Amino acid sequence: MEHPFSKMTRRQLLRTAAASALLMEIPNVSGCSSLPKYQPSGVDKGKSLYVIHSDVVDVVHGVILHDRTIAVRDGYIEAMYDQIPSPREGDLILDLKNKFVIPGLIDAHCHATMPGESAFNPSGILTTMNQLKRNYVQQIKHGVTTVRDMGAMPKVLHDFIAQIEKGELTGPRVVYCNSFTNVYRGHPSIDPADVSIFLPMGAPLTGDMNLWFKDTKELAEKMRENSSRGATFIKLTMDKKSCLAGKSEIPVYADEHLNMIFDFAQKNNLATSGHVHTKFGFDRALQYGIGSMEHSIADAVLTEKEVAAMAKKKIAIVPTVIIGQMLAAPEAYDELPPKYRTDFIDREMRIRREYINSLLEDYTEKSIHERNIAYLKTYRKYGLDNLYQKGKYMANPEIYFNILLVGPRNLMAMKDQGILIGCGTDAGVPLSYHGTLWREMEMLGRIGFSNSEILQCSTINNAKIIGMADKIGSVEVGKYADLTILQENPLKNIETCRNPKLVIKNGEIYDLGKIKFNV
Ligand SMILES: [Zn+2]
């Protein structure tokens, strides 16, 4: 990914910094927005919402509970009935007429404060801010009621979370890590100061994406500071190989760093989660017993023994195979190298093309998507080996094509050994937009998961991975009233998850047809 500020002249940068400062000073960023506010409906505190004639999908057992009434009070599922209770004054009845109810979906890997942009347009700061808001709205519109944010601009994130909590912005519940914890110049391996001497100016407004540390003292300080700002997990990056085209090795943690990090996580009850694209990263994540591996391994077919070791340590995975598909850019080649011409990759390239050529107006600001498409030409213009030297920070498509080659096989082996598998988009990365969890869900189907398994990955498994299985991930008494209402039975047709009819988050009803997104 090209760093947002890399192309700025000094004047542009000062203007952008001023605009950012202005935005940050306005408590409600939506004051600058073209997105109208939307207020969900619901019942008053102490009153009940009865969701009647619900065909509830029991995701744990993969069966439908026909014609239930879900009683919701104060944001929680209070009871489930076979009959329709008689309402009292102030209660509300919502008749689903036998539509299907799944638990609110969970995107277990996304970057809520990244705009999905390959290169930043310095004059487009308002477009970027609108896109960030759109990120949250789109998740709700596509049935996602909880996201796990994997790091980007923590100060901006906190501002948006406050807006969601105050009802000023439509968006999901967010659990977060604030920033990546890694060694100086570790992944994503771009030092802002390399890009521009002015770039560090933006950090006081946005917060640091990377908690880069130089020694153990700095590591201890930064971990303490980060966890004091509400993080529930530590985001690590385990690979020695850069994801950027034209760059190879990057620095990695020393063992003493990892010992400190895992010790800190344990003592402070924090989960750990690590970016892993390589066997090197897999081995280290395995050695330290990381909570969840993120993404898929590109450079090795894991042995049965290795997968068994992962299962034994109860390490979960959020494979985000769809980001493999998005960043496996055929635009980088005159002709796709023969090893990548498999039936599976052929089909994925077709689906990728259809997706990026489709009407994405709901998901993304038009200008952002257009710039992303135009930017793909950069691969050929400079050549893969030269991109980094030219200051073009583009994803290395070889890594992502290799994910498509070996990732599915590794994932099926993990499934066979009972490893907990989640579901996430990596949205916020160039070309991957928020609200597209259905794309990863359908990708899992093409890899060989049943519809029932796909629903588990995107609900209860994700809830376990983010440590909230007592609150979310299934439609059960005592959990948050997070419900996504679908037209058809998703156990038979998973594509019905593309367009939910209604979403309920914490007992509040979002009538999706009434949420407008465009100017
Ligand atoms: Zn990510």
Side-chain angles (χ1 to χ4, degrees):
M1 180 186 60
E2 171 139 359
H3 200 285
F5 296 101
S6 65
K7 278 288 198 286
M8 287 189 187
T9 63
R10 185 166 187 274
R11 218 179 86 230
Q12 284 168 327
L13 191 120
L14 290 173
R15 202 172 61 201
T16 301
S20 307
L22 189 70
L23 286 165
M24 295 310 136
E25 275 166 24
I26 300 170
N28 174 8
V29 185
S30 61
C32 302
S33 167
S34 55
L35 303 176
K37 281 183 191 173
Y38 171 81
Q39 289 301 331
S41 55
V43 289
D44 293 339
K45 219 170 178 298
K47 302 293 177 189
S48 291
L49 163 70
Y50 296 111
V51 185
I52 66 168
H53 298 308
S54 313
D55 280 357
V56 178
V57 183
D58 172 347
V59 290
V60 176
H61 303 100
V63 295
I64 304 284
L65 311 171
H66 288 286
D67 213 19
R68 296 298 158 100
T69 293
I70 306 166
V72 174
R73 189 188 279 249
D74 298 337
Y76 287 88
I77 298 173
E78 189 190 31
M80 301 252 283
Y81 305 108
D82 288 337
Q83 291 138 0
I84 302 170
S86 12
R88 282 165 298 187
E89 206 188 321
D91 292 346
L92 188 71
I93 289 208
L94 176 67
D95 187 351
L96 292 190
K97 299 181 178 142
N98 293 96
K99 289 192 180 58
F100 293 83
V101 180
I102 56 170
L105 294 167
I106 302 165
D107 184 344
H109 187 126
C110 69
H111 300 270
T113 56
M114 276 164 56
E117 227 176 326
S118 305
F120 188 72
N121 174 6
S123 61
I125 185 88
L126 288 180
T127 311
T128 305
M129 291 310 286
N130 266 343
Q131 179 62 46
L132 297 187
K133 271 179 278 178
R134 190 181 284 267
N135 291 351
Y136 298 90
V137 177
Q138 281 304 321
Q139 293 283 16
I140 287 287
K141 201 187 171 193
H142 290 88
V144 174
T145 50
T146 305
V147 300
R148 180 172 63 152
D149 179 76
M150 304 304 289
M153 299 192 278
K155 287 194 176 175
V156 179
L157 179 76
H158 287 216
D159 187 43
F160 281 124
I161 292 173
Q163 286 182 50
I164 292 169
E165 284 171 359
K166 280 189 270 177
E168 293 168 355
L169 175 69
T170 295
R173 183 180 299 109
V174 185
V175 297
Y176 54 90
C177 62
N178 286 323
S179 312
F180 297 23
T181 299
N182 51 19
V183 282
Y184 180 63
R185 286 179 183 271
H187 172 88
S189 61
I190 307 165
D191 186 341
D194 287 348
V195 179
S196 158
I197 53 164
F198 300 111
L199 197 53
M201 274 169 51
L205 302 168
T206 61
D208 280 321
M209 180 175 191
N210 297 306
L211 294 180
W212 272 349
F213 60 88
K214 285 184 172 143
D215 52 36
T216 50
K217 187 167 165 271
E218 206 178 3
L219 170 61
E221 279 165 17
K222 290 198 171 182
M223 280 197 296
R224 256 198 312 274
E225 192 197 318
N226 195 43
S227 67
S228 73
R229 286 184 282 127
T232 56
F233 67 101
I234 299 178
K235 169 77 185 286
L236 303 164
T237 63
M238 307 305 286
D239 292 338
K240 194 158 58 174
K241 186 176 168 67
S242 171
C243 290
L244 302 172
K247 194 180 184 197
S248 54
E249 294 218 339
I250 49 175
V252 292
Y253 312 100
D255 281 320
E256 66 172 334
H257 299 146
L258 287 176
N259 283 324
M260 266 179 80
I261 291 168
F262 281 87
D263 187 50
F264 183 87
Q266 200 188 18
K267 285 188 178 133
N268 292 279
N269 201 20
L270 297 167
T272 50
S273 157
H275 167 109
V276 175
H277 272 334
T278 62
K279 181 66 168 40
F280 173 87
F282 175 89
D283 286 341
R284 271 197 128 184
L286 184 64
Q287 182 194 340
Y288 283 87
I290 206 158
S292 68
M293 294 194 195
E294 306 294 317
H295 315 303
S296 307
I297 292 122
D299 61 349
V301 175
L302 300 171
T303 65
E304 212 179 310
K305 224 171 123 193
E306 284 159 347
V307 178
M310 185 180 167
K312 197 168 169 218
K313 289 204 171 183
K314 297 201 181 324
I315 296 172
I317 186 159
V318 182
T320 69
V321 193
I322 201 66
I323 201 68
Q325 185 220 60
M326 248 8 276
L327 299 180
E331 291 85 353
Y333 304 94
D334 285 329
E335 205 178 309
L336 214 53
K339 68 172 174 172
Y340 299 138
R341 284 192 232 130
T342 67
D343 288 349
F344 181 81
I345 291 180
D346 251 13
R347 183 173 57 176
E348 292 308 316
M349 289 302 102
R350 204 171 59 241
I351 294 167
R352 177 185 181 276
R353 208 179 316 118
E354 279 166 14
Y355 175 70
I356 61 176
N357 292 335
S358 66
L359 276 176
L360 293 170
E361 56 192 4
D362 240 17
Y363 298 103
T364 168
E365 298 285 317
K366 198 165 168 241
S367 59
I368 289 180
H369 187 59
E370 283 171 357
R371 281 199 298 276
N372 280 343
I373 298 299
Y375 209 71
L376 288 170
K377 294 197 175 69
T378 315
Y379 279 121
R380 300 281 294 285
K381 188 171 173 198
Y382 295 101
L384 288 183
D385 292 342
N386 302 317
L387 284 166
Y388 186 77
Q389 287 74 13
K390 296 277 179 192
K392 304 285 175 195
Y393 304 117
M394 303 219 15
N396 182 350
E398 283 177 14
I399 294 176
Y400 298 97
F401 272 110
N402 286 326
I403 281 177
L404 295 183
L405 270 186
V406 301
R409 209 192 311 179
N410 286 335
L411 194 57
M412 288 303 276
M414 290 175 191
K415 181 162 87 69
D416 289 345
Q417 297 219 32
I419 283 169
L420 186 63
I421 298 170
C423 186
T425 54
D426 215 359
V429 164
L431 284 164
S432 181
Y433 306 118
H434 290 258
T436 58
L437 190 68
W438 58 270
R439 296 194 75 235
E440 175 73 355
M441 292 166 73
E442 291 178 18
M443 166 64 97
L444 293 177
R446 295 193 293 276
I447 288 173
F449 286 55
S450 70
N451 290 347
S452 176
E453 287 166 341
I454 294 169
L455 287 172
Q456 284 172 353
C457 294
S458 51
T459 59
I460 189 68
N461 292 5
N462 275 350
K464 287 177 185 165
I465 290 168
I466 69 178
M468 291 187 73
D470 59 332
K471 289 273 188 292
I472 58 173
S474 59
V475 182
E476 277 181 84
V477 174
K479 291 196 178 185
Y480 288 140
D482 287 0
L483 312 169
T484 292
I485 288 103
L486 306 169
Q487 187 67 40
E488 291 176 50
N489 180 353
L491 293 172
K492 291 194 177 140
N493 175 19
I494 201 72
E495 289 188 11
T496 193
C497 295
R498 291 182 179 195
N499 292 302
K501 296 293 150 198
L502 207 66
V503 168
I504 300 179
K505 186 191 99 185
N506 263 105
E508 302 215 302
I509 306 164
Y510 293 81
D511 185 345
L512 302 179
K514 292 195 178 134
I515 308 178
K516 299 281 179 256
F517 302 93
N518 297 314
V519 182

